[in-house]
Amino acid sequence: AFSESEWIDVLIRSTGLEPSHLDERAKWHVLARMVPLVENNYNVCELGPRGTGKSHIYKEISPNSILISGGQTTVANLFYNLGRRTVGLVGVWDVVAFDEVAGISFKDKDGVQIMKDYMASGSFARGRDSISASASMVFIGNIDNVETLIKTSHLLAPFPEVMVDSAFFDRFHAYIPGWEIPKMRPELLTNQYGLITDYLAEACREMRKRTFGDAID
């Protein structure tokens, strides 16, 4: 039987990284990136320098997550298309991740409010319908110099102005400090064994049927 630390190393190697080159805190940050894959409606923000692998896990590790490059989106695409009466990306994928949060914008004026409602309760209203979905939301962005940012602004500054709102940020379950994860370099890529991606993705999806929200109790 594996110990807890051995299982942690196996999971990290399954994402392509070599845990022996990460300190204990960085290992837990890498694992925290995986929580949205196994927990329904779990909202995460990771801001940090470029090249630390922030978006890799949502693009390459699981076929059940989608990475949206920063840019304009619509309520119909993300949440619900009233004309077709079909649920958007949050009803199709386990994880919806936004790359480059600075570029996020909605064509619809109520887009951010609907996103807030969804992140708070896992449901939102469109027309006469109340729609529920289980997709977790991940927000990824770049911070180049965290020391300067602390002195001049705040740690959520990369978000577009319309999203810089305490009610929005209160809906995050975790903020991963990406500047504590080393930038990618050859020795950080593992040549050891891990779980095959197909198996890992299915195991993650299966775990979404269980809830650990009360584990802290």
Side-chain angles (χ1 to χ4, degrees):
F2 279 13
S3 67
E4 180 186 87
S5 62
E6 287 172 325
W7 268 119
I8 289 170
D9 287 354
V10 168
L11 284 172
I12 292 173
R13 286 185 176 123
S14 301
T15 72
L17 299 180
E18 178 46 52
S20 62
H21 292 289
L22 299 171
D23 63 28
E24 193 71 10
R25 191 166 166 86
K27 285 184 183 181
W28 284 108
H29 292 337
V30 171
L31 286 183
R33 291 172 172 172
M34 302 179 74
V35 174
L37 294 169
V38 301
E39 188 78 10
N40 294 318
N41 301 110
Y42 190 87
N43 309 313
V44 176
C45 166
E46 180 175 354
L47 304 179
R50 291 172 174 82
T52 55
K54 295 188 293 294
S55 58
H56 168 76
I57 201 159
Y58 309 112
K59 189 177 181 182
E60 303 293 345
I61 299 304
S62 173
N64 306 318
S65 66
I66 185 170
L67 182 69
I68 301 172
S69 296
Q72 198 171 61
T73 187
T74 64
V75 170
N77 179 54
L78 196 57
F79 295 108
Y80 192 73
N81 188 313
L82 278 170
R84 297 179 182 172
R85 299 183 70 81
T86 55
V87 180
L89 298 177
V90 295
V92 177
W93 302 91
D94 290 348
V95 178
V96 177
F98 295 90
D99 203 3
E100 305 293 350
V101 294
I104 299 174
S105 66
F106 279 94
K107 288 182 179 178
D108 321 72
K109 64 181 185 296
D110 58 346
V112 173
Q113 184 58 49
I114 291 172
M115 181 180 276
K116 282 184 199 175
D117 293 344
Y118 175 72
M119 290 169 67
S121 63
S123 63
F124 53 92
R126 291 300 281 159
R128 296 179 179 177
D129 299 319
S130 178
I131 298 106
S132 298
S134 60
S136 298
M137 305 201 87
V138 178
F139 299 86
I140 300 162
N142 293 317
I143 290 178
D144 294 318
N145 190 322
V146 69
E147 289 81 10
T148 301
L149 197 66
I150 290 170
K151 291 174 183 175
T152 61
S153 185
H154 53 82
L155 287 175
L156 293 157
F159 280 85
E161 190 174 342
V162 68
M163 288 181 161
V164 179
D165 168 22
S166 61
F168 178 69
F169 296 138
D170 280 348
R171 285 150 171 77
F172 292 152
H173 295 92
Y175 181 122
I176 302 171
W179 56 89
E180 295 184 2
I181 299 173
K183 288 194 173 186
M184 290 299 107
R185 54 185 192 272
E187 60 267 30
L188 274 176
L189 301 177
T190 191
N191 60 2
Q192 302 293 316
Y193 287 110
L195 301 174
I196 193 167
T197 306
D198 292 357
Y199 176 84
L200 179 63
E202 283 305 307
C204 288
R205 172 159 271 190
E206 185 66 24
M207 287 187 72
R208 296 177 78 84
K209 296 176 184 176
R210 313 176 191 182
T211 179
F212 297 92
D214 59 350
I216 197 166
D217 295 336

